[in-house]
Amino acid sequence: MALVSGGILLTGSTGFVGAATLRALLTTVQARRVRLLVHRRTPEIVGGDGVRLVPADLGQPSSLHGICDGVETVVHLAARIGGDEETCQLVNHHGTAALLAEARRAGVRRILALSTAAVYGDGVHRGPTEDQLDPRPVSPTSRSRYDAERLVRAAGGVVLRPMFITGPGDTWFLPTLLDLVRALGAWVDDGRAWLSTIRVEHLGTVIATAATRTPLTPGGVYHATDPCPVRVRDLVTRHANNPLPAESISLDEAERRLPAPFTPRQLRLLFTDHWYDSSRLWRTLDLPEPGGGTGCGRSCPACRSRVADG
């Protein structure tokens, strides 16, 4: 894999994934080659290390002028999560369009953007590859991120789609899962659902590697999850501080019991199968798989599928 030698522009460096990516980048490249788009906050990791900060706002396209000058690679992680349709479209769709226009004007050679497997929308998802499931986003966030995806891919950029991201700074996935189990006082379908997850530090390494090497296919999309999904019961058991429930109820019963402020969509998202085949990413980047690359034997559906195919 060829090493990319030019400058890197990183957006979203103060976010959950962005901070982990910045740490990974600074162990991979010289700091003077990293430029950060900053909006309201400055990354805590920055301080006298040569990283260049450039103030700009994706919601104000005029502020982006010149931001890509001298840059070879754009790593676009910034996104508006939550909010109404207009706000999400302004930042995620139109902001990405403005950034891509600047990248094109400046002659940027490579673009890597973070999206989400939530663009697939509702339904049970059991191990599809990137080519087997058509996106059907249902929320303002997912719709606008999918619109941004299409712009990035049309420009020859690469899109990564993680699902559930864990680790220090996770304020949504595990907290919501644990709170839901506690609020229901029961497992849903015995906690049997399989979910695709990835630790934030692993995702940061994946993004930094993809940004500084050249193996990923221009215009391509990759599932950025751990190779093996994990059961809801195992996740909760591993992280819960409260006594685990003894009762198990059906998804329908859980929806009848569901207290505010939880939503039926959250319930279905967290307690039905949502896992994705990520073998294309790990094979292409040639990175060690989390957990030593040994998988989990035959206990998860991804490993069972690989055994059956092999």
Side-chain angles (χ1 to χ4, degrees):
M1 294 185 288
L3 184 66
V4 176
S5 58
I8 296 171
L9 171 68
L10 175 65
T11 76
S13 60
T14 60
F16 179 38
V17 177
T21 300
L22 178 56
R23 286 191 290 270
L25 275 174
L26 294 181
T27 65
T28 306
V29 300
Q30 294 179 351
R32 60 183 173 80
R33 288 171 44 205
V34 180
R35 183 182 306 178
L36 307 181
L37 183 156
V38 293
H39 183 202
R40 294 188 179 92
R41 295 181 292 163
T42 298
E44 294 180 4
I45 197 170
V46 175
D49 53 15
V51 174
R52 181 182 171 193
L53 307 183
V54 182
D57 181 354
L58 289 170
Q60 298 182 8
S62 61
S63 72
L64 302 176
H65 183 71
I67 197 170
C68 295
D69 290 350
V71 167
E72 182 177 6
T73 301
V74 169
V75 180
H76 182 31
L77 310 184
R80 170 74 187 209
I81 308 298
D84 59 26
E85 196 80 35
E86 182 179 2
T87 303
C88 289
Q89 287 290 336
L90 176 65
V91 175
N92 298 340
H93 182 194
H94 301 298
T96 296
L99 180 63
L100 292 174
E102 274 300 303
R104 183 169 56 251
R105 185 193 63 77
V108 169
R109 294 176 55 192
R110 303 173 70 252
I111 299 164
L112 179 69
L114 186 70
S115 184
T116 170
V119 299
Y120 293 123
D122 293 336
V124 174
H125 303 150
R126 296 188 175 111
T129 66
E130 294 85 347
D131 305 318
Q132 292 177 328
L133 197 60
D134 292 330
R136 292 185 174 87
V138 297
S139 70
T141 297
S142 296
R143 282 192 292 270
S144 59
R145 296 188 83 177
Y146 183 56
D147 288 340
E149 269 195 26
R150 290 187 290 180
L151 295 175
V152 169
R153 297 181 70 187
V158 173
V159 169
L160 300 180
R161 289 178 184 157
M163 188 54 185
F164 298 114
I165 307 170
T166 67
D170 170 19
T171 60
W172 185 83
F173 168 53
L174 274 175
T176 302
L177 179 61
L178 296 173
D179 286 348
L180 254 173
V181 171
R182 184 165 52 250
L184 291 168
W187 298 104
V188 177
D189 291 334
D190 205 35
R192 290 192 301 266
W194 292 96
L195 303 179
S196 274
T197 66
I198 187 169
R199 291 278 303 180
V200 68
E201 63 268 26
H202 297 158
L203 182 56
T205 298
V206 164
I207 295 169
T209 301
T212 55
R213 309 267 173 185
T214 57
L216 300 184
T217 302
V221 59
Y222 296 81
H223 291 153
T225 70
D226 283 350
C228 294
V230 61
R231 276 198 190 279
V232 165
R233 177 178 279 271
D234 295 334
L235 275 169
V236 173
T237 300
R238 191 181 309 155
H239 295 282
N241 295 320
N242 304 96
L244 298 174
E247 183 185 8
S248 178
I249 58 178
S250 69
L251 189 65
D252 289 342
E253 176 61 23
E255 190 162 339
R256 285 190 288 271
R257 290 190 191 183
L258 191 66
F262 303 107
T263 67
R265 185 161 188 268
Q266 286 177 318
L267 186 73
R268 292 190 296 270
L269 192 63
L270 294 172
F271 290 100
T272 61
D273 287 343
H274 283 88
W275 66 275
Y276 307 88
D277 185 326
S278 62
S279 57
R280 180 184 298 177
L281 177 73
W282 297 100
R283 183 175 61 248
T284 306
L285 287 181
D286 195 27
L287 279 172
E289 295 180 2
T294 58
C296 58
R298 300 187 182 187
S299 62
C300 86
C303 284
R304 291 198 300 268
S305 176
R306 285 194 287 268
V307 169
D309 292 343

